[in-house]
Amino acid sequence: WYQRRVRARECLHVLDISPQPSPVTSTHFNHNGNLLVCGALDGMIRVYSDYQCIMGWQASPAAIHSVKFSVDENSVFAYCKDGTLAQWRLYPMSQCMYSVSVTDAPPQNVTHFGRDIALDSEGKFLLIGRGFQAVVYSLETGLTEDSVLPSQGSRVACVDWHVPYSTRLCLTATTSGIARIVGLI
């Protein structure tokens, strides 16, 4: 890497978390960086455009641990501390499309580990970390559990999909420092 390009130069923008400031727990840009979604400890989801909050709603009484735009960018997925996984429509604002209770959620005193979500590149599947497992949900049938990956041995810290459309490869990484690539059939 060219070292000069990696160094932080200056703060370009400061986003206002209002009406009351709350620690931000997750952020995600849309495909071109024009929209930013933030989840926070206060259970609010906020969407920003041109560095201004354009919408926000109370998504959960519990903290939001992970947020992601859907592939078509018309909705947002949120994974909450209380074990709720939900898809929220952006237009009309804050309409809940689907909500499921995710079993085996980490105990309340466990931090962020195991609360990551990732969408496949086609927007058909959602991968989540759920305690010691990673679970694939089908979006084509409305947030239904499709498959459970084998036990990871320790808490799943983060998940992701391999980018190309033609593959079904999942990445899981655990709190014990092990990363696995799993192929789905």
Side-chain angles (χ1 to χ4, degrees):
W1 287 13
Y2 187 58
Q3 201 171 18
R4 287 185 161 189
R5 291 183 184 225
V6 177
R7 291 184 187 150
R9 297 286 184 188
E10 62 186 83
C11 179
L12 300 176
H13 301 283
V14 176
L15 302 177
D16 180 32
I17 305 295
S18 57
Q20 293 187 351
S22 180
V24 174
T25 55
S26 181
T27 60
H28 186 242
F29 278 108
N30 71 336
H31 80 283
N32 62 9
N34 288 338
L35 294 176
L36 172 70
V37 63
C38 296
L41 280 180
D42 62 3
M44 291 282 294
I45 293 176
R46 295 170 179 89
V47 180
Y48 293 83
S49 177
D50 295 323
Y51 313 110
Q52 299 295 317
C53 186
I54 59 171
M55 65 179 77
W57 63 92
Q58 190 72 41
S60 173
I64 307 291
H65 277 296
S66 190
V67 291
K68 294 280 191 271
F69 279 107
S70 62
V71 172
D72 66 7
E73 299 173 358
N74 289 320
S75 63
V76 171
F77 292 93
Y79 192 11
C80 306
K81 184 176 182 175
D82 64 3
T84 303
L85 175 63
Q87 183 177 9
W88 296 87
R89 190 181 315 270
L90 292 179
Y91 309 103
M93 183 178 76
S94 73
Q95 182 182 26
C96 186
M97 298 169 63
Y98 302 103
S99 179
V100 295
S101 179
V102 177
T103 58
D104 299 329
Q108 295 296 324
N109 62 348
V110 174
T111 59
H112 202 93
F113 296 123
R115 296 299 181 115
D116 196 17
I117 60 177
L119 285 161
D120 75 326
S121 58
E122 295 173 325
K124 294 180 180 179
F125 297 98
L126 181 74
L127 178 64
I128 70 166
R130 185 176 77 184
F132 290 81
Q133 299 174 321
V135 182
V136 178
Y137 283 83
S138 171
L139 301 179
E140 294 177 320
T141 55
L143 282 182
T144 56
E145 192 172 300
D146 184 77
S147 56
V148 178
L149 277 59
S151 177
Q152 304 295 300
S154 60
R155 289 204 177 277
V156 176
C158 56
V159 295
D160 205 354
W161 291 92
H162 190 267
V163 177
Y165 293 94
S166 61
T167 65
R168 289 283 175 242
L169 296 177
C170 303
L171 170 70
T172 62
T174 65
T175 56
S176 63
I178 297 172
R180 289 183 172 91
I181 298 174
V182 179
L184 302 178
I185 299 172

